[in-house]
Amino acid sequence: MEIRDAAAADAAGIAAIYAAEVRTGYATFDLEPPPAAHWAELVATRHGAHHLLVAADGGAVVGYAKSGTFRPRPAYDTTVETSIYLQRRGTGLGTALYAALLDRLDDGDAHLAVANIALPNDASVRLHERFGFTASGTLHEVGRKFGTWHDVVCYQRPLGRGRP
Ligand SMILES: CC(C)(COP(=O)(O)OP(=O)(O)OC[C@H]1O[C@@H](n2cnc3c(N)ncnc32)[C@H](O)[C@@H]1OP(=O)(O)O)[C@@H](O)C(=O)NCCC(=O)NCCS
């Protein structure tokens, strides 16, 4: 298993993993999967604290973790929103990928990471708490997918080597 920066050739693999969650899960509130071109563009436009990492097994993408724009207004530029999606769950891969992403972020100059978790998602809550994210609030019944309302809890974590 290799964890590395995504390359243009990984776009289709990333797209497939995200599309599976769009179609069958509620960890994302997207209802239509973006095309591979969307991910290719993200690879091409990465900069600063905007990372896109993949886990690859024998060349096949089996998971990815990303950090990107939290809100488009410029005062939010020092904050990144993080997310992670896997093909195989419960094997420690999420922990390995998030460790790599947060390592990059702690070495950079972004100030804060934010992750919004649609509930229930025990694995994601556990993962984020393990890496020092703390819950800062819940929006109740803020999204509806497949006919069910979901709460979203906002988790945040300071970034940098000097963080508390
Ligand atoms: C959330 C996700 C990335 C976690 O990755 P993973 O490889 O399954 O998790 P890991 O095996 O690394 O386990 C991480 C922690 O969660 C716990 N965990 C894993 N699956 C769990 C489950 N189904 N229920 C409760 N806890 C669980 C593990 O015990 C571990 O806890 P520890 O740190 O105390 O040992 C993965 O399950 C996933 O892709 N889920 C679907 C997409 C998603 O929810 N993304 C997050 C959006 S906010």
Side-chain angles (χ1 to χ4, degrees), residues 49 57-58 71 78 88 98 113 117 138 140:
D57 191 2
R71 295 272 189 279
T78 52
R88 300 174 204 156
Y98 234 34
I117 305 178
T138 301
H140 296 282

mmCIF file with all atom_site columns, all heavy atoms in Angstrom, residues 49 57-58 71 78 88 98 113 117 138 140:
data_model
loop_
_atom_site.group_PDB
_atom_site.id
_atom_site.type_symbol
_atom_site.label_atom_id
_atom_site.label_alt_id
_atom_site.label_comp_id
_atom_site.label_asym_id
_atom_site.label_entity_id
_atom_site.label_seq_id
_atom_site.pdbx_PDB_ins_code
_atom_site.Cartn_x
_atom_site.Cartn_y
_atom_site.Cartn_z
_atom_site.occupancy
_atom_site.B_iso_or_equiv
_atom_site.pdbx_formal_charge
_atom_site.auth_seq_id
_atom_site.auth_comp_id
_atom_site.auth_asym_id
_atom_site.auth_atom_id
_atom_site.pdbx_PDB_model_num
ATOM 1  N N   . ALA A 1 49  ? -2.015  24.648 1.099  1.00 0.00 ? 49  ALA A N   1
ATOM 2  C CA  . ALA A 1 49  ? -2.591  23.647 2.018  1.00 0.00 ? 49  ALA A CA  1
ATOM 3  C C   . ALA A 1 49  ? -3.702  22.838 1.365  1.00 0.00 ? 49  ALA A C   1
ATOM 4  O O   . ALA A 1 49  ? -4.385  22.085 2.048  1.00 0.00 ? 49  ALA A O   1
ATOM 5  C CB  . ALA A 1 49  ? -3.113  24.349 3.266  1.00 0.00 ? 49  ALA A CB  1
ATOM 6  N N   . ASP A 1 57  ? -3.079  0.614  -4.161 1.00 0.00 ? 57  ASP A N   1
ATOM 7  C CA  . ASP A 1 57  ? -2.701  -0.786 -3.931 1.00 0.00 ? 57  ASP A CA  1
ATOM 8  C C   . ASP A 1 57  ? -2.452  -1.409 -5.299 1.00 0.00 ? 57  ASP A C   1
ATOM 9  O O   . ASP A 1 57  ? -3.393  -1.569 -6.091 1.00 0.00 ? 57  ASP A O   1
ATOM 10 C CB  . ASP A 1 57  ? -3.848  -1.494 -3.199 1.00 0.00 ? 57  ASP A CB  1
ATOM 11 C CG  . ASP A 1 57  ? -3.437  -2.858 -2.696 1.00 0.00 ? 57  ASP A CG  1
ATOM 12 O OD1 . ASP A 1 57  ? -2.255  -3.237 -2.891 1.00 0.00 ? 57  ASP A OD1 1
ATOM 13 O OD2 . ASP A 1 57  ? -4.284  -3.546 -2.101 1.00 0.00 ? 57  ASP A OD2 1
ATOM 14 N N   . GLY A 1 58  ? -1.190  -1.688 -5.581 1.00 0.00 ? 58  GLY A N   1
ATOM 15 C CA  . GLY A 1 58  ? -0.862  -2.240 -6.892 1.00 0.00 ? 58  GLY A CA  1
ATOM 16 C C   . GLY A 1 58  ? -1.287  -1.323 -8.028 1.00 0.00 ? 58  GLY A C   1
ATOM 17 O O   . GLY A 1 58  ? -1.716  -1.793 -9.084 1.00 0.00 ? 58  GLY A O   1
ATOM 18 N N   . ARG A 1 71  ? -14.627 27.913 2.854  1.00 0.00 ? 71  ARG A N   1
ATOM 19 C CA  . ARG A 1 71  ? -15.620 28.851 2.308  1.00 0.00 ? 71  ARG A CA  1
ATOM 20 C C   . ARG A 1 71  ? -14.863 29.740 1.328  1.00 0.00 ? 71  ARG A C   1
ATOM 21 O O   . ARG A 1 71  ? -13.693 30.057 1.578  1.00 0.00 ? 71  ARG A O   1
ATOM 22 C CB  . ARG A 1 71  ? -16.215 29.739 3.392  1.00 0.00 ? 71  ARG A CB  1
ATOM 23 C CG  . ARG A 1 71  ? -17.035 29.023 4.440  1.00 0.00 ? 71  ARG A CG  1
ATOM 24 C CD  . ARG A 1 71  ? -18.487 28.890 4.011  1.00 0.00 ? 71  ARG A CD  1
ATOM 25 N NE  . ARG A 1 71  ? -19.310 28.395 5.088  1.00 0.00 ? 71  ARG A NE  1
ATOM 26 C CZ  . ARG A 1 71  ? -19.425 27.115 5.447  1.00 0.00 ? 71  ARG A CZ  1
ATOM 27 N NH1 . ARG A 1 71  ? -18.729 26.207 4.807  1.00 0.00 ? 71  ARG A NH1 1
ATOM 28 N NH2 . ARG A 1 71  ? -20.224 26.755 6.431  1.00 0.00 ? 71  ARG A NH2 1
ATOM 29 N N   . THR A 1 78  ? -7.266  30.810 5.566  1.00 0.00 ? 78  THR A N   1
ATOM 30 C CA  . THR A 1 78  ? -6.332  30.086 6.442  1.00 0.00 ? 78  THR A CA  1
ATOM 31 C C   . THR A 1 78  ? -6.976  28.850 7.057  1.00 0.00 ? 78  THR A C   1
ATOM 32 O O   . THR A 1 78  ? -6.359  28.166 7.882  1.00 0.00 ? 78  THR A O   1
ATOM 33 C CB  . THR A 1 78  ? -5.818  31.013 7.561  1.00 0.00 ? 78  THR A CB  1
ATOM 34 O OG1 . THR A 1 78  ? -6.941  31.607 8.192  1.00 0.00 ? 78  THR A OG1 1
ATOM 35 C CG2 . THR A 1 78  ? -4.900  32.092 7.007  1.00 0.00 ? 78  THR A CG2 1
ATOM 36 N N   . ARG A 1 88  ? -12.194 0.367  0.972  1.00 0.00 ? 88  ARG A N   1
ATOM 37 C CA  . ARG A 1 88  ? -12.206 -0.666 2.013  1.00 0.00 ? 88  ARG A CA  1
ATOM 38 C C   . ARG A 1 88  ? -12.208 0.023  3.360  1.00 0.00 ? 88  ARG A C   1
ATOM 39 O O   . ARG A 1 88  ? -11.351 0.866  3.610  1.00 0.00 ? 88  ARG A O   1
ATOM 40 C CB  . ARG A 1 88  ? -10.946 -1.529 1.944  1.00 0.00 ? 88  ARG A CB  1
ATOM 41 C CG  . ARG A 1 88  ? -10.757 -2.245 0.644  1.00 0.00 ? 88  ARG A CG  1
ATOM 42 C CD  . ARG A 1 88  ? -9.405  -2.938 0.654  1.00 0.00 ? 88  ARG A CD  1
ATOM 43 N NE  . ARG A 1 88  ? -8.939  -3.159 -0.709 1.00 0.00 ? 88  ARG A NE  1
ATOM 44 C CZ  . ARG A 1 88  ? -7.679  -3.308 -1.054 1.00 0.00 ? 88  ARG A CZ  1
ATOM 45 N NH1 . ARG A 1 88  ? -6.742  -3.248 -0.129 1.00 0.00 ? 88  ARG A NH1 1
ATOM 46 N NH2 . ARG A 1 88  ? -7.337  -3.510 -2.308 1.00 0.00 ? 88  ARG A NH2 1
ATOM 47 N N   . TYR A 1 98  ? -5.275  9.678  6.893  1.00 0.00 ? 98  TYR A N   1
ATOM 48 C CA  . TYR A 1 98  ? -5.496  10.940 7.606  1.00 0.00 ? 98  TYR A CA  1
ATOM 49 C C   . TYR A 1 98  ? -4.212  11.385 8.305  1.00 0.00 ? 98  TYR A C   1
ATOM 50 O O   . TYR A 1 98  ? -3.930  12.579 8.384  1.00 0.00 ? 98  TYR A O   1
ATOM 51 C CB  . TYR A 1 98  ? -6.643  10.773 8.604  1.00 0.00 ? 98  TYR A CB  1
ATOM 52 C CG  . TYR A 1 98  ? -7.726  11.818 8.424  1.00 0.00 ? 98  TYR A CG  1
ATOM 53 C CD1 . TYR A 1 98  ? -8.057  12.308 7.169  1.00 0.00 ? 98  TYR A CD1 1
ATOM 54 C CD2 . TYR A 1 98  ? -8.436  12.317 9.512  1.00 0.00 ? 98  TYR A CD2 1
ATOM 55 C CE1 . TYR A 1 98  ? -9.048  13.272 7.003  1.00 0.00 ? 98  TYR A CE1 1
ATOM 56 C CE2 . TYR A 1 98  ? -9.427  13.278 9.362  1.00 0.00 ? 98  TYR A CE2 1
ATOM 57 C CZ  . TYR A 1 98  ? -9.730  13.746 8.104  1.00 0.00 ? 98  TYR A CZ  1
ATOM 58 O OH  . TYR A 1 98  ? -10.709 14.701 7.937  1.00 0.00 ? 98  TYR A OH  1
ATOM 59 N N   . ALA A 1 113 ? -8.214  23.153 10.580 1.00 0.00 ? 113 ALA A N   1
ATOM 60 C CA  . ALA A 1 113 ? -8.911  22.180 9.719  1.00 0.00 ? 113 ALA A CA  1
ATOM 61 C C   . ALA A 1 113 ? -10.322 21.994 10.255 1.00 0.00 ? 113 ALA A C   1
ATOM 62 O O   . ALA A 1 113 ? -10.533 21.929 11.471 1.00 0.00 ? 113 ALA A O   1
ATOM 63 C CB  . ALA A 1 113 ? -8.168  20.843 9.728  1.00 0.00 ? 113 ALA A CB  1
ATOM 64 N N   . ILE A 1 117 ? -19.324 16.227 9.627  1.00 0.00 ? 117 ILE A N   1
ATOM 65 C CA  . ILE A 1 117 ? -19.660 14.805 9.615  1.00 0.00 ? 117 ILE A CA  1
ATOM 66 C C   . ILE A 1 117 ? -21.167 14.627 9.734  1.00 0.00 ? 117 ILE A C   1
ATOM 67 O O   . ILE A 1 117 ? -21.782 15.043 10.731 1.00 0.00 ? 117 ILE A O   1
ATOM 68 C CB  . ILE A 1 117 ? -18.962 14.057 10.769 1.00 0.00 ? 117 ILE A CB  1
ATOM 69 C CG1 . ILE A 1 117 ? -17.441 14.288 10.705 1.00 0.00 ? 117 ILE A CG1 1
ATOM 70 C CG2 . ILE A 1 117 ? -19.290 12.572 10.729 1.00 0.00 ? 117 ILE A CG2 1
ATOM 71 C CD1 . ILE A 1 117 ? -16.671 13.628 11.845 1.00 0.00 ? 117 ILE A CD1 1
ATOM 72 N N   . THR A 1 138 ? -23.493 21.199 16.347 1.00 0.00 ? 138 THR A N   1
ATOM 73 C CA  . THR A 1 138 ? -24.273 20.305 15.493 1.00 0.00 ? 138 THR A CA  1
ATOM 74 C C   . THR A 1 138 ? -25.421 21.079 14.863 1.00 0.00 ? 138 THR A C   1
ATOM 75 O O   . THR A 1 138 ? -26.118 21.830 15.550 1.00 0.00 ? 138 THR A O   1
ATOM 76 C CB  . THR A 1 138 ? -24.845 19.135 16.333 1.00 0.00 ? 138 THR A CB  1
ATOM 77 O OG1 . THR A 1 138 ? -23.770 18.434 16.933 1.00 0.00 ? 138 THR A OG1 1
ATOM 78 C CG2 . THR A 1 138 ? -25.655 18.175 15.471 1.00 0.00 ? 138 THR A CG2 1
ATOM 79 N N   . HIS A 1 140 ? -28.913 20.450 13.325 1.00 0.00 ? 140 HIS A N   1
ATOM 80 C CA  . HIS A 1 140 ? -29.871 19.345 13.395 1.00 0.00 ? 140 HIS A CA  1
ATOM 81 C C   . HIS A 1 140 ? -30.734 19.280 12.143 1.00 0.00 ? 140 HIS A C   1
ATOM 82 O O   . HIS A 1 140 ? -31.270 20.299 11.693 1.00 0.00 ? 140 HIS A O   1
ATOM 83 C CB  . HIS A 1 140 ? -30.733 19.498 14.647 1.00 0.00 ? 140 HIS A CB  1
ATOM 84 C CG  . HIS A 1 140 ? -29.919 19.391 15.910 1.00 0.00 ? 140 HIS A CG  1
ATOM 85 N ND1 . HIS A 1 140 ? -29.485 18.200 16.423 1.00 0.00 ? 140 HIS A ND1 1
ATOM 86 C CD2 . HIS A 1 140 ? -29.401 20.358 16.716 1.00 0.00 ? 140 HIS A CD2 1
ATOM 87 C CE1 . HIS A 1 140 ? -28.763 18.411 17.502 1.00 0.00 ? 140 HIS A CE1 1
ATOM 88 N NE2 . HIS A 1 140 ? -28.682 19.720 17.703 1.00 0.00 ? 140 HIS A NE2 1
#
